[in-house]
Amino acid sequence: MRPPTDRERLSAGLRAANERSARWSGTGAPQQLRRVFRYVPFTFPQDPATEPAYAARCVSGEAACCGAESGPCEHPAQVEDWLLLHAQETRHLWYQRTFTDWTVLERSEEVPGR
């Protein structure tokens, strides 16, 4: 015996879901339940009440990461200035840059193709 593959596990789960959706109606006769799934489009716009944040962290180092951080910045140019200054002071060359923003899920009323 061997453990099931991901494909076999997914197939079994799908089969079980299909069996659950085709349950007995309670009258003694099996009844196929008809379900209609509709596509509902959503958008993910940036939350206008917040500002994006940019940052960088130095991950250079021999035995361990340097760990120096720029802290949150309002513009990518501020992060680049910090990167250049830190590189000049330490000769470190490897950094992790991050961009963070916030979004509010919105349902779009437009349905593509209609």
Side-chain angles (χ1 to χ4, degrees):
M1 292 210 12
R2 62 170 173 73
T5 65
D6 289 340
R7 185 180 183 136
E8 291 168 336
R9 204 174 290 122
L10 180 61
S11 180
L14 182 58
R15 188 172 34 257
N18 286 338
E19 289 170 4
R20 281 192 304 272
S21 70
R23 291 194 178 162
W24 293 76
S25 66
T27 62
Q31 179 181 351
Q32 281 288 84
L33 299 177
R34 185 164 185 252
R35 296 182 180 181
V36 177
F37 294 97
R38 291 180 172 77
Y39 173 75
V40 180
F42 288 91
T43 59
F44 301 91
Q46 184 177 342
D47 183 0
T50 62
E51 293 293 325
Y54 305 89
R57 182 171 72 97
C58 180
V59 292
S60 297
E62 297 283 329
C65 290
C66 168
E69 296 182 357
S70 67
C73 299
E74 294 177 0
H75 195 275
Q78 294 169 310
V79 173
E80 290 174 9
D81 291 344
W82 180 85
L83 290 169
L84 290 171
L85 182 64
H86 186 75
Q88 288 173 350
E89 292 173 353
T90 62
R91 302 281 190 245
H92 291 166
L93 303 175
W94 198 32
Y95 298 89
Q96 176 186 34
R97 291 190 301 186
T98 57
F99 165 76
T100 306
D101 74 339
W102 292 261
T103 186
V104 179
L105 180 68
E106 291 181 353
R107 182 176 175 176
S108 175
E109 294 304 318
E110 292 183 27
V111 177
R114 290 193 179 195

